[in-house]
Amino acid sequence: MSDLPLKSTPLEALHIELGGKMVPFAGYNMPVQYPAGIKTEHLHTREAAGLFDVSHMGQVRITGEGIAKALEALVPVDCEALAIGKQTYAVFTNEQGGIDDDLIITRWGENEFFLVVNAACKERDIAYLTEQLAGFDVTYIADRALVALQGPKATEVMGELSSDANALTFMSGCWATLDGVECYVTRSGYSGEDGFEISIPNDQADTLARKLLSFEQVEAIGLGARDTLRLEAGLCLYGHDLDTTTSPIEASLIWSISKSRRADGAKAGGFPGAERILSEIANKPSRKRVGLKIDGKAPVREGAKLFDMDGNEVGIVTSGGPAPSYGAPVAMGYVTLANSPIDTPLQAEVRGKMRPVTVAKTPFVPQRYYRG
């Protein structure tokens, strides 16, 4: 536990005013839930629109001639092929082929990129980028907040504020003026729903957040529901489902390795840990991230060991909890390749007792991204 004082986002006073239950998270004072509770917040996001404060995430701007090519030495993505205004999911791999963080990369210009990195890793990530991209301008954007408007009715709300932003498709972005505030808006998020992430000047974040909350479709949503939503959507949480020893292939993220960066591609390798990662693509990894259906109503939490039906230990749960829209608890974890096929029966050890679980396809609920 850090002795450092908790940092505040520009929306902290609003969270408290709304009755948010504030908890320490990644060094920040953040709302885990509001009076309605996690289940109600979760279901509201699936049915209407939820507003999340994600200002604790790290926003980074990188510029300089040739920056696209330089970034390719750090991530297994074809940054040169990314069109202006488009974004991609990426992972910072390490020399051992593990994952040091996952992030979103958006191309702002020919020689300008915008990165959003995880809160708990942002200081390390910014130091790493500054060191590895010496000669380029790496700037931590400390003067902007970040909120996410997620859910099937998010587009109704955005349509009232900006036709340009509302015309975006999944994983694209643009500058837009929302209620008089200049923002950078992307059609993306972490809930599995259609929605937007909005980068806002700090001094106007409270005003714009209140404007968004003034729409009847929108409610404030805390970190608790953010976690249950992403778990249902089969999305990884860094530090839990991903870590420095886990490769993107083990994590079932082969799609995050651009085809041009694979062994038979025009830009094969050239990123940290490429030898292990390309070998695992060719020969398959020894273990794999899978979804897990849980028998019964009680969740199976992170850290529970997984066993086959003969009692052999075959894996571990890395995320688990209730899934309100799915209607039963779910989990994700890692199992040996032999035990990874869908519908494989397994057992999870919970408080010394074995609970039946079954390997399941993710996402547990359909993802509803707007692709045009």
Side-chain angles (χ1 to χ4, degrees), residues 292-358:
L292 297 164
K293 292 181 182 178
I294 312 301
D295 187 44
K297 294 183 178 180
V300 173
R301 303 286 184 179
E302 177 182 358
K305 293 179 180 178
L306 296 168
F307 297 82
D308 65 17
M309 302 313 287
D310 295 323
N312 301 303
E313 187 174 337
V314 297
I316 192 165
V317 172
T318 52
S319 283
S325 302
Y326 184 70
V330 298
M332 293 193 298
Y334 286 82
V335 297
T336 57
L337 197 63
N339 287 281
S340 65
I342 303 300
D343 294 329
T344 300
L346 298 172
Q347 306 173 87
E349 186 178 23
V350 181
R351 300 188 191 92
K353 295 182 180 180
M354 291 298 181
R355 295 272 308 280
V357 303
T358 308

Side-chain angles (χ1 to χ4, degrees), residues 164-181:
D164 288 344
N166 207 39
L168 293 168
T169 54
F170 183 55
M171 298 299 276
S172 62
C174 70
W175 288 97
T177 301
L178 308 184
D179 200 39
V181 180

